[in-house]
Amino acid sequence: MRVAVIGAGVVGVATAHELASDGHEVVVFERRGSVAVESSFAQAGLASPGAVGPWVGPGHPGRFWRTVFDRTHPWRVSASPKAWGWLWRWSRAGHAVTHRAHLGTMHRLAAYSQERLHGLAARLRLDYERSDGHLVLARSAQDLDRLQPAVALLAEQGIRADVLDAAQCRAIEPGLNTATALHGGVHLPRDEVGNGRQFALLLRTEAERLGASFRFHTTVERLEPGTRPRLVVVHAPHEETTSLLTPHGESPAFQATVPLNEPLEETFDAVVVCAALGATGLLSPLGLKLPLAAVHGHAVTLPVRHHDGHPDTGPRSAVTDSRHQVVINRLGARLRVSGGAALGAEPTARRQEDLARLYQVLDDWFPGAARLSQAQRWSGVRPMLPDGPPVVGASGLAGIWVNLGHGNAGWAMSCGSARLVADLVDRRAPGFEPAGLGVERFAR
């Protein structure tokens, strides 16, 4: 089959690779000039079942409404009607039974994805920055108490989570600042952290070797469902594209033949929408109105500072400050600090406050560990659904499939959801039970 994939984030690239592996003719449309440059660009990097879960659970809505106007709280929300409507759906998903079901779905998908990720990395010899282990720090006894329900739920899912005292935490991460108050923490030894964008770049190369074509600087303006779904696309100039060149240094043939800046229709046997927030403009006119919300997050990536005669003082793997919801992880010779959750429009002033929080948390736990003068800042949005799991599978529109709404866990669930949607497109029994991932849960 000839299959179009819309969006080249880590989810879109993984989807394209799985479809190409199945022998399909795959064309990927991406409005930017490379893969993984928007939501996937600087994710926290956690890629394990223990690192995923709905953003809402029993008691969360009540605590949120009490702190919604607290400028120091990690959660932020704009005053737009759309944001409040999304939060109403989010609050309803906090019921204990509902939360447990969605959490189980996400954990199963992340476990399946981790298995797929390891298999791909080994088979294709993908060498990307990664490390094992994830330590969640609790500054006080109250912070540790708040983690206990999550630990219990992880245990129900068969995910190991060890509750530690301060000394045990420091044994795992000896670089932790002894001047910062630490009561204890939770260690997830089977969790891992990895460079999702680096993985996406490597996997793109493998997909192209299988025949997949990546069309960058290309915007899909309209979808037309059907037994042979059609796209209306616009190709922009390709001066900055990162498409692979031919041995003679020329751009791929399609660049020389398609009209630029003019609508062009293309027909496929199937279309998979992996366009994150861009999916709303494509699917809403067709009657599929998914409650995807823009949740703003931030990251700072810095080179590790090496001190003569002393080991570096940064983390060995991933460390999360549970109070501030900030993740500090190790990516080879760099550190990445990420956090923030602003729903809706985000004022510039608050962005600066959130970035300042990242620097402060880094200084609290690993002072002097990184070269601040060489910091690379990133601010972007993550496509969040109010109940937690993504939507993966049939859209209800003829010939159109979806792989959307992974939020801040796109890297953790990308390989599994890609394999799942590829199986469903091929009408093949999937290796993962898709219950709980369908679009029908938003039709009620």
Side-chain angles (χ1 to χ4, degrees):
M1 290 195 295
R2 189 167 188 254
V3 184
V5 175
I6 305 175
V10 67
V11 172
V13 173
T15 300
H17 180 265
E18 293 291 352
L19 289 164
S21 297
D22 289 345
H24 298 297
E25 179 188 347
V26 179
V27 181
V28 183
F29 296 92
E30 169 56 47
R31 63 184 180 179
R32 300 294 292 273
S34 184
V35 303
V37 296
E38 293 192 9
S39 299
S40 300
F41 185 77
Q43 289 191 353
L46 297 171
S48 305
V52 307
W55 277 28
V56 61
H60 287 182
R63 289 198 297 272
F64 169 74
W65 294 119
R66 290 193 295 272
T67 59
V68 67
F69 298 111
D70 180 359
R71 295 178 69 87
T72 66
H73 197 267
W75 258 97
R76 302 270 180 81
V77 62
S78 73
S80 70
K82 184 176 181 180
W84 293 114
W86 188 92
L87 282 170
W88 178 78
R89 287 176 175 261
W90 174 82
S91 298
R92 293 183 63 191
H95 186 276
V97 175
T98 304
H99 171 260
R100 192 180 300 272
H102 291 322
L103 180 67
T105 297
M106 296 180 75
H107 281 167
R108 288 188 299 106
L109 179 56
Y112 179 57
S113 186
Q114 187 178 43
E115 179 184 347
R116 295 290 308 173
L117 170 64
H118 292 168
L120 283 171
R123 178 166 54 85
L124 301 176
R125 299 182 180 179
L126 303 180
D127 185 15
Y128 62 96
E129 298 165 333
R130 64 171 306 282
S131 54
D132 294 312
H134 177 203
L135 181 61
V136 183
L137 301 176
R139 294 176 182 245
S140 67
Q142 186 178 27
D143 290 342
L144 189 59
D145 287 342
R146 290 195 185 105
L147 295 174
Q148 296 300 332
V151 172
L153 288 171
L154 290 172
E156 289 181 10
Q157 300 295 325
I159 299 172
R160 180 180 168 186
D162 303 324
V163 179
L164 310 178
D165 60 25
Q168 291 170 315
C169 290
R170 297 189 190 282
I172 291 171
E173 288 288 354
L176 289 170
N177 185 10
T178 56
T180 298
L182 175 60
H183 181 78
V186 176
H187 184 230
L188 296 99
R190 296 173 186 166
D191 272 16
E192 62 184 275
V193 61
N195 190 329
R197 183 168 190 265
Q198 188 181 44
F199 176 84
L201 289 165
L202 294 169
L203 199 60
R204 169 205 164 182
T205 300
E206 297 299 327
E208 287 179 313
R209 286 176 180 168
L210 293 170
S213 171
F214 284 76
R215 301 191 186 179
F216 298 108
H217 298 296
T218 302
T219 300
V220 178
E221 293 194 334
R222 191 170 72 250
L223 284 176
E224 296 180 8
T227 54
R228 291 275 291 164
R230 290 190 297 177
L231 307 184
V232 177
V233 302
V234 174
H235 299 279
H238 291 74
E239 288 85 354
E240 298 179 0
T241 186
T242 59
S243 295
L244 291 181
L245 301 179
T246 67
H248 302 289
E250 299 173 353
S251 297
F254 82 89
Q255 296 184 11
T257 59
V258 301
L260 300 180
N261 299 318
E262 295 181 15
L264 177 71
E265 287 190 1
E266 293 202 45
T267 303
F268 294 87
D269 297 296
V271 175
V272 184
V273 182
C274 306
L277 292 168
T280 300
L282 295 173
L283 298 174
S284 291
L286 304 176
L288 180 55
K289 301 183 184 298
L290 297 173
L292 287 166
V295 177
H296 296 258
H298 312 279
V300 180
T301 307
L302 318 96
V304 173
R305 183 191 301 275
H306 294 282
H307 303 273
D308 292 342
H310 299 279
D312 65 70
T313 54
R316 292 177 171 177
S317 187
V319 172
T320 294
D321 184 310
S322 65
R323 181 179 297 181
H324 295 287
Q325 293 298 295
V326 170
V327 181
I328 307 170
N329 67 33
R330 186 62 172 265
L331 296 174
R334 298 175 300 157
L335 301 183
R336 176 165 294 159
V337 191
S338 53
L343 177 65
E346 186 189 33
T348 301
R350 291 197 172 187
R351 182 182 305 134
Q352 295 306 314
E353 291 175 6
D354 285 340
L355 286 168
R357 180 183 293 111
L358 301 186
Y359 283 110
Q360 183 59 59
V361 172
L362 174 62
D363 188 62
D364 285 349
W365 295 115
F366 300 101
R371 296 186 180 276
L372 303 186
S373 62
Q374 299 178 37
Q376 295 178 327
R377 298 181 179 183
W378 174 85
S379 296
V381 295
R382 293 158 291 192
M384 298 291 298
L385 290 165
D387 57 357
V391 285
V392 183
S395 69
L397 304 165
I400 309 297
W401 305 81
V402 292
N403 196 356
L404 297 165
H406 300 76
N408 63 340
W411 166 226
M413 295 189 283
S414 58
C415 293
S417 61
R419 184 63 257 166
L420 172 59
V421 78
D423 285 338
L424 294 173
V425 167
D426 250 348
R427 313 293 183 184
R428 182 171 48 236
F432 175 84
E433 171 53 54
L437 297 172
V439 298
E440 63 276 0
R441 70 182 196 266
F442 296 112
R444 296 190 290 271

